[in-house]
């Protein structure tokens, strides 16, 4: 009986060892060094060529000793920057005691009839016409009538001097040169000493487009002998630097059936089409698709189908019009087709049957890249790998641990670029592991050992029954 237990224990040990054959962590990318503790890298669709889970639950990050590191996968952050643009505007000094008619001379309009069309021309007066050099300046008029944008700030320049190093100004606006509306008050500074310079020459306006045609700058301090040399409207916009969309394309082959797959879905008459079928080697969730037709003109119907396995029926995803046309020297095409979170492998595109022999389309997939963030230790290099034995909720668990470790901390992320290790596709579960001679030898020995154990166990059982029968 003791011998039987020994044999059974040995068989269990062998069976347990067999389960470890496929429990392998296979590195896909390598990060040679980390610029800090908190590291991030951009993941493209390529990682989904190796993974067998569309949520990347089998992805792990390991250090040099094989220790798994906390990580999370997030959408890339959108970086924003400010961009300022200045537009020079005309300005006019107005002398003390100038008549209201002088302001109206800023612009005069004339109407002309040419070829049954009415045209209006505006002649702007020169600022010298508005100022008598022998009379002090009362205020300045800034002309915004030609400005076709909003006005965030007014930037003014004047010569540096001790008399004009500190200015106070009142700003008003008008559209008719008669009724002025107060806008703001501001202080302008231009100091210079020992090669150092302090300048504050911007007046915040925050005006909408065409809100006022003219501005009045009334300097209440430092106006004596003041001469402005330049006036400009400055607008500042925030520019969102969105991450570059991850795109790749797959070449198709002419489908065996050149009738629309719609009749299989809805029934009815078989309609001849030009159909191509595509197979991609990844399971990344895509957001948009487009068709690359090269330099061949097309403007007609398109139908797009997909399915996850070859045995499934085709599912219609899109039906509409697709064009590919040359405009001048450039080629333009329809906007990408929105496909919501689709990770199907097989695709079918149907076009007008007349282009069956002239087109060779490629299907272009679009998706937003992902950012993988992990907490590094001092055991580089680090590897991004696929673990076929990872738990189904591996990423969720890792994300929770990661969040607790970084909670309340101000993080400085170090962006890194990884090296592709290009492992064999046959090593991964999704592509069907290729059985080599070592695996065959192992299973052969294992089966032989199990057979021997079973034979010995049966023999011992027979021997034990023999003496019992004699009694």
């Amino acid at each position: 009986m003791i011998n039987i237990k020994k044999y059974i224990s040995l068989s269990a040990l062998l069976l347990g060892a067999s389960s470890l054959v496929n429990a392998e962590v296979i590195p896909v990318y390598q990060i040679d060094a980390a610029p800090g503790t908190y590291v991030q890298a951009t993941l493209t669709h390529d990682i989904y060529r190796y993974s067998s889970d569309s949520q990347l639950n089998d992805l792990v990050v390991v250090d040099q000793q094989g220790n798994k590191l906390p990580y999370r996968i997030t959408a890339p952050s959108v970086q924003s920057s400010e961009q300022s643009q200045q537009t020079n505007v005309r300005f006019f000094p107005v002398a003390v005691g100038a008549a209201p008619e002088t302001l109206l001379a800023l612009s005069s309009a004339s109407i002309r009839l040419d070829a049954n069309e009415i045209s209006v021309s505006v002649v702007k007066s020169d600022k010298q016409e508005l100022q008598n050099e022998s009379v002090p300046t009362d205020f300045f008029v800034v002309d915004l009538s030609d400005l076709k944008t909003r006005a965030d700030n007014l930037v003014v320049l004047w010569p540096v001097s001790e008399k004009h190093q500190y200015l106070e100004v009142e700003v008003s606006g008008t559209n008719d040169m008669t009724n002025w509306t107060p806008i703001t008050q501001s202080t302008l500074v231009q100091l210079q000493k020992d090669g150092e310079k302090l300048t504050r020459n911007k007046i915040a306006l925050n005006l909408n487009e065409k809100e006022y045609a003219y501005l009045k700058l009334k300097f209440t301090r430092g106006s004596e002998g003041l001469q402005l040399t330049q006036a400009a409207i400055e607008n500042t916009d925030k520019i969102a630097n969105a991450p570059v969309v991850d795109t790749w394309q797959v070449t198709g082959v002419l489908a065996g059936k050149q009738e629309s797959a719609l009749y299989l879905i809805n029934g009815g008459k078989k309609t001849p089409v030009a159909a191509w079928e595509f197979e991609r080697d990844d399971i990344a969730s895509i957001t948009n698709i487009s068709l690359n037709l090269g330099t061949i003109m097309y403007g007609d119907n398109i139908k797009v189908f997909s399915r996850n396995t070859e045995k499934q029926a085709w599912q219609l995803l899109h039906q509409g019009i697709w064009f590919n046309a040359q405009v001048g020297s450039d080629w333009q095409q329809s906007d990408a087709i929105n496909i919501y979170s689709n990770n199907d492998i097989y695709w079918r595109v149907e076009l007008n049957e007349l282009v069956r022999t002239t087109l060779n389309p490629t299907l272009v997939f679009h998706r937003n890249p992902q950012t993988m963030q992990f907490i590094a230790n001092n055991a580089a290099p680090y590897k991004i790998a696929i673990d076929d034995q990872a738990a189904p909720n591996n990423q969720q668990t890792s994300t929770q641990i990661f969040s607790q470790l970084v909670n309340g901390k101000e993080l400085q992320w170090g962006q890194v670029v990884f090296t592709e290790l290009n492992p064999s596709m046959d090593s991964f579960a999704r592509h069907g592991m290729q059985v080599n001679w070592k695996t065959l030898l192992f299973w052969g020995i294992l089966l032989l050992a199990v057979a021997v154990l079973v034979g010995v166990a049966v023999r011992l059982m027979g021997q034990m029954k023999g003496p019992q029968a004699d009694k």
Side-chain angles (χ1 to χ4, degrees):
M1 188 69 179
I2 296 176
N3 289 334
I4 294 177
K5 290 183 178 180
K6 289 183 178 179
Y7 288 128
I8 294 176
S9 299
L10 178 60
S11 63
L13 180 63
L14 290 173
L15 290 172
S18 69
S19 66
L20 299 177
V21 173
N22 294 335
E24 185 180 3
V25 177
I26 307 172
V28 177
Y29 306 126
Q30 178 169 305
I31 299 171
D32 295 324
T37 303
Y38 304 103
V39 184
Q40 65 181 15
T42 301
L43 294 179
T44 65
H45 70 279
D46 286 327
I47 189 65
Y48 291 91
R49 298 169 59 218
Y50 308 100
S51 175
S52 59
D53 187 279
S54 61
Q55 303 300 318
L56 296 180
N57 277 302
D58 53 1
L59 185 145
V60 293
V61 181
V62 297
D63 63 11
Q64 188 179 27
Q65 285 78 37
N67 300 312
K68 295 180 180 179
L69 305 178
Y71 79 94
R72 69 181 177 189
I73 297 177
T74 66
S77 59
V78 178
Q79 303 294 330
S80 60
S81 59
E82 291 188 349
Q83 182 176 349
S84 297
Q85 183 177 2
Q86 291 189 2
T87 304
N88 289 333
V89 290
R90 294 155 55 89
F91 62 95
F92 308 90
V94 179
V96 174
E101 292 79 8
T102 306
L103 297 182
L104 296 177
L106 284 173
S107 62
S108 59
S110 63
I111 301 177
R112 185 174 57 189
L113 182 64
D114 291 327
N116 297 324
E117 293 184 359
I118 297 177
S119 62
V120 178
S121 62
V122 178
V123 179
K124 300 291 184 179
S125 300
D126 197 306
K127 63 182 180 182
Q128 279 77 16
E129 300 177 23
L130 300 174
Q131 182 175 16
N132 185 338
E133 296 294 340
S134 61
V135 180
T137 299
D138 187 9
F139 57 86
F140 291 84
V141 173
V142 179
D143 184 5
L144 303 184
S145 59
D146 293 333
L147 192 67
K148 297 182 180 179
T149 64
R150 71 182 193 278
D152 294 343
N153 298 300
L154 175 65
V155 182
V156 294
L157 298 179
W158 68 95
V160 178
S161 68
E162 292 185 1
K163 292 195 307 181
H164 305 132
Q165 61 184 5
Y166 190 91
L167 309 175
E168 293 181 355
V169 61
E170 297 176 348
V171 183
S172 304
T174 186
N175 287 307
D176 58 9
M177 287 296 187
T178 302
N179 300 302
W180 296 88
T181 302
I183 297 175
T184 187
Q185 297 180 348
S186 184
T187 300
L188 306 179
V189 175
Q190 196 165 222
L191 302 174
Q192 191 170 8
K193 183 180 181 181
D194 299 332
E196 299 293 333
K197 190 174 182 180
L198 173 63
T199 301
R200 180 183 176 185
N201 63 339
K202 296 181 182 179
I203 304 172
L205 298 177
N206 300 319
L207 298 179
N208 298 323
E209 181 180 348
K210 298 296 183 182
E211 187 170 349
Y212 293 111
Y214 303 98
L215 301 178
K216 177 198 289 187
L217 305 184
K218 177 70 172 179
F219 289 89
T220 58
R221 177 173 177 173
S223 62
E224 183 178 354
L226 176 65
Q227 293 295 324
L228 301 184
T229 58
Q230 185 179 349
I233 292 298
E234 180 186 72
N235 290 327
T236 302
D237 296 293
K238 286 189 176 181
I239 307 299
N241 300 319
V244 178
V245 176
D246 184 17
T247 62
W248 68 104
Q249 58 185 18
V250 177
T251 302
V253 296
L254 276 172
K257 295 182 179 180
Q258 292 294 308
E259 296 89 16
S260 178
L262 275 180
Y263 84 91
L264 295 175
I265 301 174
N266 301 327
K269 182 180 179 182
K270 296 182 179 180
T271 305
V273 294
W276 291 265
E277 293 182 359
F278 306 80
E279 179 183 356
R280 60 183 179 132
D281 62 353
D282 64 89
I283 55 172
S285 294
I286 60 174
T287 56
N288 300 87
I289 62 169
S290 58
L291 206 60
N292 184 1
L293 301 181
T295 56
I296 298 179
M297 300 280 289
Y298 183 81
D300 211 322
N301 294 323
I302 183 175
K303 299 182 187 70
V304 180
F305 305 82
S306 74
R307 61 187 181 188
N308 199 37
T309 66
E310 290 185 282
K311 295 183 179 181
Q312 290 179 341
W314 289 111
Q315 300 296 317
L316 178 65
L317 300 179
H318 175 80
Q319 182 176 3
I321 299 295
W322 185 267
F323 73 85
N324 190 63
Q326 187 175 12
V327 181
S329 58
D330 299 325
W331 283 86
Q332 297 184 8
Q333 62 181 18
S334 297
D335 294 334
I337 300 169
N338 183 34
I339 305 293
Y340 179 73
S341 296
N342 188 306
N343 56 1
D344 287 345
I345 296 175
Y346 299 95
W347 296 75
R348 178 183 172 94
V349 174
E350 296 178 355
L351 302 177
N352 188 298
E353 63 171 326
L354 298 178
V355 299
R356 187 179 303 153
T357 58
T358 57
L359 286 181
N360 186 23
T362 55
L363 191 59
V364 184
F365 297 96
H366 308 253
R367 68 183 293 271
N368 293 322
Q370 295 169 294
T371 296
M372 187 204 67
Q373 300 174 334
F374 70 94
I375 301 176
N377 52 21
N378 295 322
Y382 309 100
K383 292 181 174 63
I384 302 173
I386 298 297
D387 182 4
D388 290 324
Q389 303 298 318
N393 61 344
N394 170 61
Q395 191 181 138
Q396 181 181 357
T397 302
S398 182
T399 299
Q400 290 177 350
I401 296 173
F402 187 97
S403 299
Q404 293 178 14
L405 291 173
V406 302
N407 185 35
K409 298 179 181 178
E410 293 186 4
L411 308 180
Q412 295 292 330
W413 294 104
Q415 184 75 29
V416 295
V417 178
F418 47 69
T419 303
E420 296 185 14
L421 300 177
N422 297 317
S424 172
M425 288 293 183
D426 296 328
S427 304
F428 297 89
R430 192 171 69 83
H431 298 275
M433 292 186 178
Q434 199 174 52
V435 180
N436 54 30
W437 68 270
K438 291 182 180 180
T439 305
L440 291 174
L441 179 62
F442 175 85
W443 282 104
I445 295 174
L446 178 64
L447 292 175
L448 179 61
V450 171
V452 171
L453 289 173
V454 171
V456 172
V458 172
R459 184 177 178 182
L460 289 174
M461 291 293 293
Q463 291 177 353
M464 294 178 64
K465 289 181 178 179
Q468 293 178 355
D470 294 336
K471 292 179 180 181

